[in-house]
Amino acid sequence: MRKLLLALVAVPAMAAPSDSLLGITLVQNKSGGSLSVPMQIVLLLTVLTLLPAILMSLTPFLRAVVVLHFLRQALGTQTAPSNQVLVGLAMFVALLVMQPVALDVYHHGWEPLENGQITASQAWDQAQGPIKTFLMKFAREKDIQLFLELSHSPAPAKPADVPLSALAPAYVLSELKAAFQIGAVLFLPFLIIDLVVASVTLSVGMIQLPPVMVSAPFKILLFVMVDGWNLVVGSLVRSFYS
């Protein structure tokens, strides 16, 4: 877990393209280049600012939290489970899926930089490999092409040449589409229950009783009987390994 957290913090920290930034330079020592204290403070503040957005947008957290929100809406339970529970579950799912990627980033980028074997720019170049491989696996070609055109970037010769500036938003769009597709499928069985209950209550003359109040226990009972949480979370995790 310690290496995983260090790798997540290391991704933005290695983004410096040269050995100086805003006049703050790297300190050279016998083992190579190391970051000066002011530079470390600047990078730490930058990481603390960008890390929440990176975790929410460029990890499986995005798909998981959207799907869990759709599931709660389909069940009609309003605030149960609470937002904190859904966000926490989505976060643990994201950490589980991203653990191999974060470890690769740590071993290929941050660890050599920490040992003074490579510079910050070289560490960032080496760390981009695992990140791009993961994002490219789930980003649609159509979305990548869209952002390449919007940024007026030249067509890449190979997938590894796609810049992160186009790959990151393309991944977000692709994940949103996948999450909405899964959410629509989750809605279908519960929608059928709502339609059946509404038809029955209308046929027996229970007009003043909202059908949602009658269908909610049946939907929850169906979800519990099929072990819905296990199925949904298991399918979410498996979707990132398929």
Side-chain angles (χ1 to χ4, degrees), residues 89-180:
L89 179 58
M91 181 63 68
F92 283 114
V93 169
L95 290 176
L96 176 64
V97 176
M98 290 298 295
Q99 183 176 1
V101 180
L103 290 178
D104 286 342
V105 171
Y106 177 80
H107 290 305
H108 290 87
W110 182 258
E111 198 171 39
L113 176 65
E114 192 177 28
N115 296 331
Q117 301 174 355
I118 56 178
T119 64
S121 59
Q122 292 174 337
W124 172 242
D125 292 337
Q126 293 185 17
Q128 283 190 63
I131 298 174
K132 283 187 175 182
T133 300
F134 175 80
L135 297 180
M136 189 71 66
K137 186 177 180 181
F138 302 102
R140 298 187 306 164
E141 183 178 352
K142 181 179 179 181
D143 295 328
I144 296 175
Q145 183 65 32
L146 170 64
F147 286 100
L148 287 175
E149 293 176 356
L150 293 177
S151 61
H152 303 287
S153 301
K158 52 185 178 180
D161 296 335
V162 178
L164 278 176
S165 58
L167 186 57
Y171 170 83
V172 174
L173 285 188
S174 301
E175 285 296 283
L176 285 175
K177 179 179 180 180
F180 272 70

Side-chain angles (χ1 to χ4, degrees), residues 75-76 194 197 201 208-220:
L75 285 171
D194 285 333
V197 171
T201 55
Q208 296 182 351
L209 182 64
V212 177
M213 295 183 60
V214 181
S215 63
F218 292 101
K219 291 190 290 186
I220 296 174

Side-chain angles (χ1 to χ4, degrees), residues 171-218:
Y171 170 83
V172 174
L173 285 188
S174 301
E175 285 296 283
L176 285 175
K177 179 179 180 180
F180 272 70
Q181 288 175 336
I182 297 174
V185 174
L186 287 175
F187 255 103
L188 292 179
F190 301 110
L191 179 60
I192 295 175
I193 295 178
D194 285 333
L195 292 175
V196 171
V197 171
S199 300
V200 172
T201 55
L202 183 61
S203 63
V204 298
M206 301 171 62
I207 302 177
Q208 296 182 351
L209 182 64
V212 177
M213 295 183 60
V214 181
S215 63
F218 292 101

